[in-house]
Amino acid sequence: MNEIVQKIKDQKIVPLFYNESFEVSKNIIKALYEAGIRVVEYTNRGHQALENFTKLKEISHIEFPGLLLGIGTVKNIQEMNDYAGVKADFIITPVISEALVKHAFERNILLIPGCFTPSDINIAYQNGLTLVKIFPADALGKNYIKLVQPVFPGMNFMPTGGIHAETEDIREWLSGGAIAAGLGSSLIGKDINEEELTRKTKNLLQQLNQ
């Protein structure tokens, strides 16, 4: 299994967020890091995304050693090239296509594509990918992974979208076949402060690993 995929599996959750402010973005990552998070998805959802991500990558090896920082909401090859060029550790997309998968292999970067249907998953499976994002997860329900998993042996699944940052909700997804859950606004709300985020995330990690 890919080292990054294994770290995602070990962590059980992948926080994801975007903020226009670099300082706020940095502080959120610091709060997550202090809670024990080592894999984070920054999302490509605003005008400052590439600039902020570039700066975060520049400081991460000094301020957040061991952090794997990937980029999400990448939708085309140009965006993939932009973020591969600034050394994103992985790229997450909301969709999948043969072109995106093949280009990721050419750039030697881990792609975690967004899949909704078995046909989507099959594109990833036939191209040798080992982890897909099930998106939007809440539209499919907690039995979906369990139902499609036998058809794709060796494939790992990370549901994202509408998952609550609560132990029981995440455990239900994990028991249904997921290796981890992507957590956005349910974990990193607009008004949450850094101390509260660290406390909430640390508690969540401890409970999930009991």
Side-chain angles (χ1 to χ4, degrees):
M1 186 183 294
N2 180 283
E3 179 186 353
I4 298 173
V5 176
Q6 184 61 55
K7 287 189 175 182
I8 290 172
K9 184 176 182 179
D10 293 342
Q11 189 168 279
K12 296 184 176 64
I13 60 172
V14 175
L16 58 109
F17 78 99
Y18 170 75
N19 194 286
E20 286 286 315
S21 164
F22 167 72
E23 286 300 323
V24 172
S25 298
K26 175 184 171 183
N27 288 338
I28 289 172
I29 288 181
K30 181 182 179 185
L32 293 168
Y33 188 85
E34 289 178 351
I37 292 292
R38 294 297 181 269
V39 183
V40 175
E41 173 191 345
Y42 195 72
T43 56
N44 178 41
R45 292 191 178 185
H47 297 299
Q48 293 297 116
L50 181 57
E51 182 178 337
N52 286 352
F53 186 85
T54 302
K55 291 178 181 177
L56 290 168
K57 282 297 297 180
E58 287 172 351
I59 66 168
S60 65
H61 69 287
I62 296 171
E63 297 200 27
F64 313 116
L67 178 70
L68 294 171
L69 184 61
I71 186 71
T73 323
V74 170
K75 299 178 292 294
N76 55 58
I77 286 174
Q78 182 58 58
E79 291 174 348
M80 185 178 287
N81 284 336
D82 288 342
Y83 287 101
V86 294
K87 296 180 171 54
D89 289 305
F90 55 91
I91 289 177
I92 298 181
T93 63
V95 295
I96 187 170
S97 72
E98 292 273 2
L100 286 171
V101 173
K102 289 178 179 178
H103 195 69
F105 275 119
E106 289 172 5
R107 293 302 303 259
N108 192 32
I109 190 164
L110 174 66
L111 175 67
I112 304 171
C115 296
F116 189 77
T117 67
S119 295
D120 291 341
I121 299 167
N122 192 51
I123 293 174
Y125 187 76
Q126 295 300 329
N127 282 280
L129 299 184
T130 59
L131 174 60
V132 297
K133 176 177 78 169
I134 297 299
F135 176 80
D138 58 345
L140 291 165
K142 293 171 184 172
N143 289 324
Y144 180 76
I145 294 171
K146 189 179 291 185
L147 292 170
V148 298
Q149 203 167 32
V151 184
F152 304 104
M155 181 60 76
N156 297 283
F157 300 89
M158 180 173 69
T160 304
I163 299 176
H164 301 293
E166 298 169 359
T167 306
E168 286 309 311
D169 196 47
I170 296 167
R171 278 182 177 159
E172 285 184 39
W173 284 102
L174 296 175
S175 64
I179 67 162
L183 299 178
S185 58
S186 67
L187 179 65
I188 308 167
K190 288 183 179 179
D191 300 323
I192 196 166
N193 63 55
E194 288 81 12
E195 288 184 5
E196 172 65 16
L197 178 57
T198 296
R199 186 196 62 78
K200 184 178 180 180
T201 306
K202 191 172 185 177
N203 288 343
L204 192 57
L205 289 174
Q206 288 175 343
Q207 291 168 9
L208 288 172
N209 284 287
Q210 283 179 350

